[in-house]
Amino acid sequence: MVHRYVMAFDAGTTGIRAILFDKAGGIVAEACQEFPQIYPRPGWVEHNPLDIWNTQITVAKQVLSQAGCGAEDVAAIGVTNQRETVVVWDRATGEPVYNAIVWQDRRTADLCEELKARGLEDHVRRTTGLIIDAYFSGTKIKWILDHVPGSRERAERGELAFGTVDSWLIWNLTAGAAHVTDYTNASRTMLFDINRLEWDQRLLDELGIPRAILPEVRSSSEVYGHTDESVLLGVRIPVAAAVGDQQGALFGQACFTAGSVKATYGTGASLVLNTGEKPVFSHRGMLTTIAWGIDGTVEYALEGLIFVAAASIQWLRDELQIVYDAEDTEYAARQVPDTNGVYVVPAFVGLAAPYWDQYARGAIIGLTRGTNRKHIIRATLESIAYQIQDVIGCMEADSGIPVREIKVDGGATPNNFLMQFQADLLGVPVLRPTVIESSARGAAFLAGLATGFWKDHAELAGAFRLDRRFEREMDPARADRLYAGWQKAVGRARDWEEH
C-alpha cells in the first residue's frame, strides 16, 4: 500500500491539533479544538488528562474526514506536545490519579527554593542543563505523590506511571503497550542527565520519585508501537515520533546544522539554537537542552524562554480592551512613527530568560500627556522583539556562534510590523516560512523519517518554503538607542513583588 500522508498530533496548552502532511511537507488538512483550563487556586493550572486524550482523538478523526481519506492512508503518527506538564496514571486502568499539572503552574515554587537552599543548583545545571524552577516536571511529580492519598505507595509498587503529555498520548494510542518518552521531553523534567542520557538517581532520590514510574527514554524518531485497532478507525498505524514542541519547531524549520536558530512567537516565546553534538552550558540564563535524538546521534541546543509574547496582545484585547482583534495591532502600530518614548514590560508572571526574576511585574514606563492607545499598542508589539533581542545576545555570548539569520513561526508571525521591527533590532534577516505550524511539521518529519516516508534530512530541507524575508531598514544607532531604553525599563520592573 502506498501511504499518502503523515499525521502530526500537536497537543498544545490550550488547544489540540491534528494535521496531515503530504510528501512535499505541505498541510493537506488540519483540525483544532480547545479544551478546558482548570485554575483551582491562584498560581495553579491544571488539565484533565482525559480531556487531552479525547480531544486529540476527536481532531484526528476530523482531519481524516476533512481530507476525505482513511486511516489506512497514514504512514505514521508523530506527537509533539506542551512540555513539562505532568500526568500520573494507573497502569492497570489507565485512570489518572490527579489532573495534569501544567507547565505554567507555580505551586512548587517554595519546594524549588528549598532545593536551592540544599545546594542543588550546580548539580541540576551541570546534569540536566536546566535551572531549578517550578516550570519543570520533577517537583510537580513529587507534589502529586505527596498529596494524592496512597499514590506514593502505589508508585513504589510499580502500579503507577508518570509521563509528560507525549507519554500519555502514546500510552493511550498503543492501549498501554508503550510507556515511552523521547530525549527532548525527558530533558525538560529536571530529572534527566543530558550528558549520560539516563535518569539521574541523585535527583530521583532528592525528590523521592520511584524509578518504577518513569517511562523508557527513546530517540525522537523511531517506531514505539502501533495504534491499537480500537483507537483509530480499526487500523494499526506506526507511532513513530515524539518531540517537545519547541524542539519540534526547530526540526520543522529545517534547522539541522549547528548555528541555525528559530524563534516561536506563541503565548510565550522560545528561541532555540542548534549547538551540534556537544552540550553548551550557559552562564547567562539560557537552558541547555536536547534538540533531538535520531539514529543513535543526539544533538543539543540552547534555549531562551520568554513567558509572555503573544499573550501581551491578548492582554491588549481582553483586559485593556484597546483593540478589537489581535490583527488590529499591526494597523494601529503603523499609525504612529514611534512609541513616543513608551516602553511596555510584559512581566505579568515574572521574567524568564535571561533574567529569571519571578518577582518582576509588568510595567508601562515613559508615559506623558501625549501618550495615546496607539503608542501603547506599538510598545507592546515592540516588547516582544526586545525580549527576543535579550535572548539572542546571550545565546551568541554563551555559544560563540554568531546568529546569521532567524527563522520564525507561531501565531504572532503574520504581524508584519513585528517581524520588520525584529529584523531592525537584530540586524539579521528574519525568515517567515509558508508553513508556520512548525512544531507539528517537525513531529511529522521525524515520524516520516522513521518509517521511510521521507528519505533523509536533505529531502526535508528541500521542503522549506519562504513566505517573506525581512531585512534591517532602521539605522543601527537608532536600534541601539531603543534597546538601551528597553533595558532601562526592565530594570524598573525587576524585583517588584514583595518577597
Side-chain angles (χ1 to χ4, degrees):
M1 180 180 294
V2 177
H3 297 294
R4 295 191 288 164
Y5 309 120
V6 173
M7 185 184 290
F9 284 6
D10 186 353
T13 306
T14 58
I16 290 179
R17 298 174 190 272
I19 304 178
L20 281 178
F21 289 88
D22 62 17
K23 191 81 166 146
I27 292 177
V28 175
E30 175 181 356
C32 179
Q33 187 172 313
E34 293 187 354
F35 64 99
Q37 308 293 300
I38 302 167
Y39 305 104
R41 299 184 192 177
W44 291 28
V45 187
E46 297 177 359
H47 294 153
N48 182 335
L50 296 175
D51 285 341
I52 296 174
W53 166 241
N54 291 329
T55 305
Q56 186 68 79
I57 287 301
T58 297
V59 295
K61 292 176 179 177
Q62 286 174 354
V63 83
L64 291 173
S65 175
Q66 284 180 25
C69 68
E72 64 276 4
D73 292 306
V74 178
I77 293 172
V79 177
T80 186
N81 56 286
Q82 51 159 312
R83 304 170 302 173
E84 298 94 15
T85 295
V86 164
V87 186
V88 178
W89 67 93
D90 186 296
R91 288 183 184 274
T93 67
E95 286 293 318
V97 304
Y98 188 79
N99 279 338
I101 301 181
V102 180
W103 58 271
Q104 298 159 315
D105 191 282
R106 303 302 298 174
R107 77 186 67 185
T108 61
D110 289 344
L111 172 58
C112 290
E113 294 302 319
E114 179 187 322
L115 295 175
K116 292 176 186 177
R118 279 155 52 185
L120 282 169
E121 280 185 284
D122 189 54
H123 178 76
V124 167
R125 189 182 68 82
R126 286 185 293 103
T127 304
T128 71
L130 308 177
I131 63 166
I132 295 176
D133 194 85
Y135 177 70
F136 303 109
S137 310
T139 56
K140 298 179 174 71
I141 305 170
K142 175 176 169 57
W143 189 95
I144 290 175
L145 297 182
D146 285 347
H147 290 83
V148 176
S151 62
R152 181 169 295 284
E153 293 75 18
R154 294 168 67 197
E156 289 169 352
R157 292 194 299 265
E159 297 172 7
L160 302 183
F162 146 72
T164 40
V165 170
D166 60 309
S167 299
W168 169 244
L169 291 176
I170 292 168
W171 193 89
N172 280 286
L173 279 169
T174 61
H179 181 211
V180 300
T181 190
D182 88 300
Y183 289 127
T184 68
N185 282 291
S187 74
R188 312 297 296 193
T189 60
M190 213 174 78
L191 301 173
F192 191 71
D193 187 331
I194 63 171
N195 307 290
R196 296 161 59 197
L197 303 178
E198 61 185 38
W199 299 111
D200 182 70
Q201 192 60 50
R202 180 179 175 188
L203 290 171
L204 295 177
D205 291 342
E206 292 280 358
L207 290 169
I209 296 173
R211 188 177 280 265
I213 72 170
L214 301 175
E216 179 186 359
V217 184
R218 307 267 288 272
S219 80
S220 309
S221 176
E222 65 173 278
V223 176
Y224 309 125
H226 291 75
T227 58
D228 187 80
E229 290 178 357
S230 65
V231 169
L232 201 59
L233 306 178
V235 178
R236 286 173 55 78
I237 303 170
V239 182
V243 64
D245 53 7
Q246 302 307 328
Q247 292 96 326
L250 190 71
F251 202 82
Q253 289 271 37
C255 294
F256 301 144
T257 57
S260 52
V261 62
K262 71 86 197 173
T264 296
Y265 298 73
T267 303
S270 169
L271 273 84
V272 184
L273 170 70
N274 185 329
T275 60
E277 294 183 26
K278 290 189 177 179
V280 174
F281 290 91
S282 174
H283 300 285
R284 295 170 177 83
M286 303 298 104
L287 304 175
T288 305
T289 196
I290 293 178
W292 47 72
I294 305 174
D295 294 332
T297 299
V298 167
E299 295 186 48
Y300 294 87
L302 278 175
E303 179 173 359
L305 283 170
I306 295 164
F307 287 152
V308 175
S312 61
I313 301 173
Q314 295 169 330
W315 168 72
L316 292 175
R317 181 193 67 194
D318 299 340
E319 311 308 328
L320 295 192
Q321 298 182 4
I322 60 174
V323 295
Y324 177 74
D325 189 274
E327 295 177 2
D328 298 339
T329 58
E330 180 177 346
Y331 174 80
R334 292 188 185 281
Q335 298 306 298
V336 286
D338 52 41
T339 68
N340 199 27
V342 173
Y343 288 87
V344 173
V345 183
F348 304 133
V349 290
L351 289 168
Y355 308 102
W356 292 104
D357 183 351
Q358 62 183 332
Y359 302 108
R361 287 297 177 266
I364 304 176
I365 293 173
L367 296 170
T368 64
R369 183 64 181 81
T371 301
N372 63 42
R373 59 180 283 276
K374 294 171 186 174
H375 296 127
I376 293 172
I377 292 166
R378 180 169 175 141
T380 302
L381 290 178
E382 290 186 359
S383 76
I384 301 171
Y386 287 130
Q387 291 179 94
I388 298 287
Q389 172 82 327
D390 283 341
V391 169
I392 287 284
C394 293
M395 280 185 168
E396 290 181 322
D398 278 330
S399 67
I401 301 172
V403 171
R404 312 245 180 238
E405 63 182 24
I406 180 170
K407 294 178 177 178
V408 299
D409 56 61
T413 52
N415 190 304
N416 293 317
F417 170 82
L418 174 58
M419 295 298 100
Q420 183 59 54
F421 189 74
Q422 190 71 80
D424 288 339
L425 269 188
L426 295 176
V428 299
V430 170
L431 309 182
R432 183 174 65 199
T434 54
V435 175
I436 61 174
E437 296 294 348
S438 299
S439 297
R441 198 182 200 211
F445 279 176
L446 289 162
L449 281 178
T451 53
F453 187 81
W454 287 293
K455 183 173 62 175
D456 53 28
H457 286 57
E459 185 177 3
L460 298 178
F464 183 86
R465 297 284 184 275
L466 189 65
D467 170 55
R468 183 166 170 184
R469 179 185 182 97
F470 297 86
E471 300 269 5
R472 172 177 264 181
E473 297 175 354
M474 184 184 291
D475 175 63
R478 183 185 175 208
D480 290 345
R481 285 195 303 274
L482 290 172
Y483 183 58
W486 162 257
Q487 292 176 305
K488 187 176 178 182
V490 169
R492 299 290 197 271
R494 294 196 63 185
D495 199 32
W496 182 266
E497 186 76 3
E498 293 292 333
H499 57 96

